[in-house]
Each structure stands twice: as C-alpha cells, then as structure tokens.
Amino acid sequence: MLIGIPNEAPEARVAATPSTVAQLLRLGHRVAVQSGAGARASIPDGAFTEAGADVVTAAEVWQSDVIAMVGAPTPEQTALLRQGQTVVGFLHPRTDLGLTEALAARGVTALSMDMVPRISRAQSLDALSSMANIAGYRAAIEAGHAFGRMFGGQVTAAGKVPPAKVFVIGTGVAGLAAVGAARNLGAETFATDVRPETAEQVESMGARFLHIATAKEVSADGYARESTGDDAAKAALLYAEQARTVDIIITTAAIPGRPSPKLITADMVASMRPGSVIVDLAAAGGGNCEVTRPGETYTTDGGVTIIGWTDLASRLPGQASQLYGTNLVNLFKLLTPGADGELTLDFDDEVHRQMTVTRDGEITFPPPPIQVSAAPAVAAPAAVPAPLPRVTPPDQWARFRRLMLVAAAWLLLALVLPGGFLAHILVFGLACVVGYYVVWGVQPALYTPLMSVSNAISGTTIVGAITQLTSPLLHVQLLAFVAIVLAGINCVGGFAITQRMLGLFSRSDAPAKEA
C-alpha cells in the first residue's frame, strides 16, 4: 500500500523520518512524502528521496491508501478523503466527536494513536508516552530559560549560589523526564504522585519523593485516578507548602478525555516568590493551575511566570518526529504481519480494536473496556507459625566436665613433656587466641591499617625462620624455608595492596611551581 505523509504546518513534527521510511519499505509499503513536510524538523526533501520515498504534492499525498499523520485532519483535509482509505494520527475521539462522525461519513478507517492500550505488548507503539517523555524534558528546559538563574549550586569567589528547587507534580512518563532533566541540570528536585509505588523510581534518579498522606490506586486504563474529598485536601496542603519554598513547579496531571484537575490555586501562585516559574504540562486540558492560559506564557503581578504551552513536544521536532515515526513503524508491523504491504485489521486483536475509531464508515468508538492494570493480588491466608523447638538449657555440669578434662590433659602434658616445650605450646596457644580476635574479628574497613601490622609480623617471622636455616635437623630447615616463603608472599602482597590503597588518596598532579 501507498502510505502518504502530509505536510502538517504549522505543526513542526512529521510522521516519518528517513530511517523510518526505510523500515516501512521493508514491510512492502510505498511511501509518499509531501514536499516540505520535514522542513521544520530539519529534514530536507532530499533526505526522504535518498531513503526511497517519493516527494509529491499535497493532492497526490491525500490520494494515498494510508494517510499517516501526527495530528488530526482539518475539515478541508477530511473532505479530500475517499472511501476505503485509512487514516492514522492523534484523532482525540474522546473530545472530538465531530471529527469521528466526519471520518465515518467519508467511509474511511481511522486509527487513533492516543487510544493505544497501556499493555506490555503495545508499549512499542505508545505514542502518548513517547511525546510525554519529550514534553517533560522540554518543560525543564523552558523552566530554566524563564527562571533567570542557574539550576545547579556553585561556590565562587563572589559567594555561594544555592541550587534551584524544582517540584514536579505527577511522576508518570512526563514527570520522570522532568525530574531527570532537572536533576541533570543540578537542581534540588522534589516530586510527588498519588501513586506511592512511583517513589522508588523517583528516588533512584536522585530526587526526593514527597508522600501524600492517602494515595489512590491506578485506574483500569493505566492512568492515575483524580483525587477527591479528603485526599485532594491533603494533597493541596502539600502543594501549598511547597509553593512557598520552591522556585519551579512542573505539573503533569492530565486525564485523557477529561479536563485537567486543578491542583495549584491562585492563592498558591500568589505565595510563590517573585521570579518563580510554573510549567503546566496539562495546559491542553485546561491546566493544573487555576491561572494557566493554554497556549500562552505570561508573568503574574507577583512576578511568577506561568508557562502554558500546549506544543512542548513540537519544540523538539527532530527528536519527536523520530520517536513518533518509530511508533508508527511498530504499528504497521502489527498491521502488516506478512510484510507484504497489505494492512490486516483484526478486531480479535485487542490493540487493533482499541485503536480503531471508525471502520468502513462505521463508528467503532468507544471500544470495549480492557483491563490494563494489574489486579491486586489476593492475600494468602496467614500461615500458622510452626511451634518453636524446645530449647534445652545448657548443662552447666557438662561445661564444667569439659573444662576439667582440658585441665587434666594440660597437667598430663606438663608431667610428660620437658619444660621448654611446654612454654612454646603455651605461647602458641595464646598466639592463636590473640590472632583470631585481632585478625579474624577486625572490621573490613580496618583492613588497610591491619595490613601494615601483618607485614611487621611477617617480617619478624622471616627473621626467626632465617635463624633456623642453620639447624642440623632437616625437618627444621624445611619448616624454616616454608615459613620464609609464605611470610615473604604475605609481606610483598601486603605492601603492594597498601601502596594501591594509598594511591587512591594521593594526588597525581605535580606541585605548582612557585611564581
């Protein structure tokens, strides 16, 4: 089939890049790109031609079998569609019922990229997550541009510069991207979410997670539920407290098909310090801030900058186009299982069914519900603990008998062995006891200073063994030789390890020359 990529100006993104065109060709499709479609993403027409696509006019693109778009067709573009065509893009059927009806009237099959179910098998074509990732990163960049100060703290000759404090509300894909960007820029970053299970992800990125007293579960469609009642009140207390202390707030709480919840009130904005910034990533749905103006950026009377851009992903058009084009390639892989250039729409496949808005002139939205969140695990019945084994108190008389046996054996050896040998056995026994507690019982952090002590002991052992090499007894000479070898290995290895450890703390640069 022929896949057409239209020019969606003023949209900066394009639905295909040269690398994704090559992948579509391998699936058996042909690709036609409207002239100038990639200009705002820094992709010239020649790059598409080299990749194997045909660069054509607008009229030719809209005659393609499949129209792959970023956004939704305008009324004028919808009028160009014919029966049997397929349209893919962000169609927003939850909020734009008029477009859905118009597409059905034209007899086309429409698949909406914002209806991809949040299941593991569909992650590779989840364009919402791809664009949210870029929007979250761009939000931190926009905040830094409007903030007027550095994110990271510094200590300079002119004084100490504290790091900026960034508070991210919502730790989904966009929120985590904003957290990562803010942390990489050196800001002191805080984040919160109604899903406490995201705390581990936030903290693994070096930020601090602020828990709300009561949290909600994830809804069946994979998104967090809107807080209500007491939960919303407790969250509002946290937001108000942070608004007075942080420099930048980034909000990401958006619910598909519904107005964005109002989290930051006008009073909270008024309590923020002059020069502070709010980036409202939910501006397309009305905004999480009461004073957000969707599509605009302005500064309040109190000096707080409110950024309500609704096209943050489009502000990185090259990267956004590449990610979105890859999402489309993964979709066409699913729709073209035979890699023969023929689309196969299977309503038995839950991904196909969820994404299809209209089919051959019939409205198929809304799709049947699908459970995408994991069901809570059924609590296993509490296991009855096994009875603890009966502990028999130690037999004091048995311990006394063992002590008496050791004393009797020692007296017997004292009567049989010569006095000098007995003294050596006593010293040997004491050395074993002391060595066990001094060497085996030492903490690992003290191994380096202990190495120096063991080297000294090994040196003494070598000296003592050398004096025994002149003994007339062969076995004494052999034992002395073995003692010298083993103590020497311990000595050389100990000094080598100690030198390496000291090297970690020594400065390798040469001393500065005197002026």
Side-chain angles (χ1 to χ4, degrees), residues 209-264:
F209 189 86
L210 304 178
H211 290 271
I212 299 175
T214 302
K216 287 290 185 183
E217 300 176 353
V218 180
S219 62
D221 58 359
Y223 295 91
R225 293 174 180 168
E226 184 178 2
S227 297
T228 57
D230 293 340
D231 297 338
K234 294 175 182 177
L237 291 176
L238 175 63
Y239 303 153
E241 178 184 357
Q242 292 301 311
R244 292 190 296 268
T245 59
V246 302
D247 303 302
I248 295 170
I249 296 178
I250 300 175
T251 65
T252 68
I255 303 175
R258 296 178 58 186
S260 302
K262 301 300 181 184
L263 307 178
I264 304 299

Side-chain angles (χ1 to χ4, degrees), residues 81-401:
L81 296 172
R82 70 177 189 275
Q83 186 174 1
Q85 283 183 300
T86 300
V87 177
V88 181
F90 281 104
L91 306 180
H92 305 292
R94 297 184 180 94
T95 56
D96 195 350
L97 182 58
L99 175 61
T100 302
E101 294 175 345
L103 292 173
R106 302 298 298 179
V108 302
T109 298
L111 284 80
S112 185
M113 293 299 291
D114 56 316
M115 291 297 296
V116 176
R118 290 202 159 183
I119 59 178
S120 299
R121 192 165 61 88
Q123 285 182 350
S124 61
L125 49 137
D126 188 356
L128 280 177
S129 294
S130 298
M131 298 302 101
N133 183 32
I134 294 178
Y137 174 85
R138 183 69 187 191
I141 301 301
E142 293 285 346
H145 174 71
F147 183 44
R149 293 198 288 116
M150 293 181 294
F151 269 39
Q154 289 188 358
V155 177
T156 67
K160 182 178 179 181
V161 178
K165 293 184 178 181
V166 178
F167 179 44
V168 179
I169 301 177
T171 53
V173 176
L176 291 177
V179 168
R183 282 291 302 154
N184 290 337
L185 290 171
E188 185 179 357
T189 309
F190 307 87
T192 189
D193 198 287
V194 295
R195 298 163 294 185
E197 61 270 15
T198 63
E200 184 177 352
Q201 294 173 308
V202 171
E203 293 170 353
S204 68
M205 301 175 73
R208 180 183 172 189
F209 189 86
L210 304 178
H211 290 271
I212 299 175
T214 302
K216 287 290 185 183
E217 300 176 353
V218 180
S219 62
D221 58 359
Y223 295 91
R225 293 174 180 168
E226 184 178 2
S227 297
T228 57
D230 293 340
D231 297 338
K234 294 175 182 177
L237 291 176
L238 175 63
Y239 303 153
E241 178 184 357
Q242 292 301 311
R244 292 190 296 268
T245 59
V246 302
D247 303 302
I248 295 170
I249 296 178
I250 300 175
T251 65
T252 68
I255 303 175
R258 296 178 58 186
S260 302
K262 301 300 181 184
L263 307 178
I264 304 299
T265 64
D267 292 337
M268 296 180 191
V269 175
S271 69
M272 298 180 71
R273 295 189 292 262
S276 300
V277 180
I278 296 178
V279 183
D280 197 336
L281 282 176
N288 295 139
C289 178
E290 283 185 347
V291 295
T292 295
R293 299 174 186 174
E296 298 182 22
T297 292
Y298 74 101
T299 303
T300 66
D301 295 338
V304 179
T305 301
I306 312 292
I307 300 177
W309 299 128
T310 57
D311 60 346
L312 285 176
S314 296
R315 292 172 181 264
L316 291 174
Q319 188 72 55
S321 298
Q322 180 61 45
L323 292 180
Y324 182 72
T326 302
N327 293 139
L328 286 180
V329 168
N330 293 325
L331 172 62
F332 283 112
K333 286 180 179 179
L334 189 64
L335 297 175
T336 317
D340 53 1
E342 294 295 329
L343 294 186
T344 302
L345 191 59
D346 181 11
F347 266 27
D348 291 333
D349 188 313
E350 57 189 357
V351 178
H352 294 201
R353 181 64 186 90
Q354 291 290 313
M355 295 183 62
T356 304
V357 177
T358 65
R359 182 183 187 185
D360 298 330
E362 177 189 357
I363 296 179
T364 60
F365 179 85
I370 175 175
Q371 184 72 24
V372 299
S373 59
V378 179
V384 179
L388 296 176
R390 183 178 179 182
V391 179
T392 305
D395 189 351
Q396 299 295 334
W397 286 106
R399 181 181 302 176
F400 178 74
R401 286 193 294 269

Side-chain angles (χ1 to χ4, degrees), residues 447-455 490-505:
Y447 281 168
T448 301
L450 177 64
M451 196 71 69
S452 301
V453 178
S454 64
N455 289 343
N490 189 45
C491 230
V492 173
F495 280 117
I497 294 175
T498 302
Q499 182 62 31
R500 289 185 61 183
M501 294 294 295
L502 293 177
L504 297 176
F505 301 96

